[in-house]
Amino acid sequence: MAELASFSGTDSYLTDHALQAAVSCALVLQKPLLVRGEPGTGKTLLAEAVAEAEGLELITWNVKSTTRAQEGLYHYDTVQRLYDSRFSDGDVRDIAAYIRMGPMGRAFQSDKRVVLLIDEIDKADLEFPNDLLNELDRMRFTVSETGEEIVAEQRPVVIITSNAEKELPDAFLRRCVFHFIDFPDQALMSQIVNVHHPDLNDELLAQSLAAFYQMRDTPGLRKRPSTSELIDWIGMLIATGTLTVPEGSDLPFLGTLVKKEQDLQTLARPRSSMSRRY
């Protein structure tokens, strides 16, 4: 039985039963947990919460468009070896001294269980997920320059996030437990806000959430505001002693919520043409 099957979030990371069940499945089956959802739904923070709840080290691999799977395993530092051969008295024949482990390599080498976060896997090219299949299945790889085999002593908890910018290969999806994090409804969002702003009065909280969800429902927005932006916005309301929240484009500190000029123009349209929640 996996150690973390009872994970239920932390004081600062609230979960629902569906997410708790997905984490439990991944841990019991010892498979990577693939988490999708729009930006701001807490995908990355999930890995931090799992690590915090169980006192495990978190190793993060931030994937970029240029990232290659090999970088997550190890890197042979030929530049440093060449430099040492010219300017150092050290023995450069020891190739192992120039092998630098990547995030996955460090997770496999650790003598303790760790949480490995592969963040925004869909940013890389289409072959990137497939290139990880063998290592994620077997939890081992070979350093070709030295012949050393790196085998995970403690199978890491692997959490993979995706913003669904591109489809992932079916072969990769079959090897993962999948969960889609829905954007929080107003009831759950109220609890999340209370975690970050526990002294917020109920009236201002209700007005803030109503205005926030009305904005998210506005047709034509290119980037809808996320949870983190709501937390920042309410923080500004509290800091300035704001007591009431006006409607529509008259919202104060709109730059904490809206990040695109086109969206500012959309919100400036007559209110009668905007979707409303109250």
Short mmCIF file of all heavy atoms in Angstrom, two decimals, residues 17-27 33 177-179:
data_model
loop_
_atom_site.label_atom_id
_atom_site.label_comp_id
_atom_site.label_asym_id
_atom_site.label_seq_id
_atom_site.Cartn_x
_atom_site.Cartn_y
_atom_site.Cartn_z
N HIS A 17 -12.67 15.61 -3.45
CA HIS A 17 -12.56 14.15 -3.39
C HIS A 17 -12.00 13.57 -4.69
O HIS A 17 -11.27 12.57 -4.66
CB HIS A 17 -13.93 13.54 -3.08
CG HIS A 17 -14.43 13.84 -1.71
ND1 HIS A 17 -13.73 13.50 -0.56
CD2 HIS A 17 -15.55 14.48 -1.28
CE1 HIS A 17 -14.40 13.89 0.51
NE2 HIS A 17 -15.51 14.50 0.11
N ALA A 18 -12.34 14.17 -5.82
CA ALA A 18 -11.87 13.65 -7.10
C ALA A 18 -10.35 13.74 -7.21
O ALA A 18 -9.68 12.79 -7.65
CB ALA A 18 -12.53 14.40 -8.25
N LEU A 19 -9.78 14.88 -6.79
CA LEU A 19 -8.33 15.04 -6.85
C LEU A 19 -7.65 14.12 -5.84
O LEU A 19 -6.61 13.52 -6.14
CB LEU A 19 -7.96 16.49 -6.58
CG LEU A 19 -6.45 16.83 -6.61
CD1 LEU A 19 -5.82 16.39 -7.92
CD2 LEU A 19 -6.23 18.31 -6.38
N GLN A 20 -8.21 14.00 -4.66
CA GLN A 20 -7.64 13.09 -3.66
C GLN A 20 -7.63 11.66 -4.19
O GLN A 20 -6.66 10.92 -4.00
CB GLN A 20 -8.45 13.17 -2.37
CG GLN A 20 -8.36 14.50 -1.66
CD GLN A 20 -9.32 14.62 -0.49
OE1 GLN A 20 -9.78 13.61 0.05
NE2 GLN A 20 -9.66 15.83 -0.12
N ALA A 21 -8.71 11.26 -4.88
CA ALA A 21 -8.78 9.91 -5.43
C ALA A 21 -7.73 9.71 -6.52
O ALA A 21 -7.11 8.64 -6.62
CB ALA A 21 -10.18 9.65 -5.99
N ALA A 22 -7.51 10.74 -7.35
CA ALA A 22 -6.52 10.63 -8.41
C ALA A 22 -5.12 10.47 -7.84
O ALA A 22 -4.32 9.65 -8.31
CB ALA A 22 -6.59 11.88 -9.31
N VAL A 23 -4.79 11.26 -6.80
CA VAL A 23 -3.49 11.13 -6.15
C VAL A 23 -3.33 9.73 -5.57
O VAL A 23 -2.29 9.08 -5.72
CB VAL A 23 -3.31 12.20 -5.06
CG1 VAL A 23 -2.02 11.96 -4.27
CG2 VAL A 23 -3.30 13.60 -5.67
N SER A 24 -4.38 9.23 -4.91
CA SER A 24 -4.31 7.90 -4.31
C SER A 24 -4.09 6.82 -5.37
O SER A 24 -3.28 5.91 -5.18
CB SER A 24 -5.61 7.61 -3.54
OG SER A 24 -5.77 8.50 -2.46
N CYS A 25 -4.78 6.93 -6.51
CA CYS A 25 -4.61 5.95 -7.59
C CYS A 25 -3.17 5.94 -8.08
O CYS A 25 -2.57 4.88 -8.29
CB CYS A 25 -5.55 6.27 -8.74
SG CYS A 25 -7.28 5.88 -8.43
N ALA A 26 -2.61 7.13 -8.30
CA ALA A 26 -1.24 7.22 -8.80
C ALA A 26 -0.26 6.60 -7.83
O ALA A 26 0.71 5.93 -8.24
CB ALA A 26 -0.88 8.68 -9.07
N LEU A 27 -0.48 6.80 -6.54
CA LEU A 27 0.44 6.30 -5.54
C LEU A 27 0.32 4.80 -5.34
O LEU A 27 1.33 4.09 -5.24
CB LEU A 27 0.22 7.04 -4.22
CG LEU A 27 0.53 8.54 -4.30
CD1 LEU A 27 -0.01 9.27 -3.09
CD2 LEU A 27 2.01 8.77 -4.43
N LEU A 33 1.20 10.81 -12.19
CA LEU A 33 -0.10 11.48 -12.20
C LEU A 33 -0.02 12.65 -13.18
O LEU A 33 0.77 13.57 -12.98
CB LEU A 33 -0.44 11.99 -10.80
CG LEU A 33 -1.70 12.87 -10.69
CD1 LEU A 33 -2.94 12.09 -11.14
CD2 LEU A 33 -1.88 13.38 -9.27
N VAL A 177 -1.90 8.06 -14.64
CA VAL A 177 -3.22 8.31 -14.06
C VAL A 177 -3.56 9.76 -14.41
O VAL A 177 -2.73 10.65 -14.23
CB VAL A 177 -3.21 8.12 -12.53
CG1 VAL A 177 -4.54 8.54 -11.92
CG2 VAL A 177 -2.90 6.66 -12.18
N PHE A 178 -4.76 9.98 -14.92
CA PHE A 178 -5.11 11.30 -15.43
C PHE A 178 -6.14 11.98 -14.52
O PHE A 178 -7.06 11.33 -14.00
CB PHE A 178 -5.70 11.19 -16.84
CG PHE A 178 -6.22 12.49 -17.38
CD1 PHE A 178 -5.36 13.45 -17.88
CD2 PHE A 178 -7.59 12.77 -17.37
CE1 PHE A 178 -5.84 14.66 -18.38
CE2 PHE A 178 -8.08 13.97 -17.86
CZ PHE A 178 -7.19 14.92 -18.37
N HIS A 179 -5.95 13.30 -14.33
CA HIS A 179 -6.97 14.08 -13.63
C HIS A 179 -7.03 15.48 -14.23
O HIS A 179 -6.00 16.11 -14.46
CB HIS A 179 -6.65 14.19 -12.13
CG HIS A 179 -7.70 14.96 -11.37
ND1 HIS A 179 -8.95 14.44 -11.10
CD2 HIS A 179 -7.71 16.22 -10.86
CE1 HIS A 179 -9.66 15.32 -10.43
NE2 HIS A 179 -8.94 16.42 -10.28
#
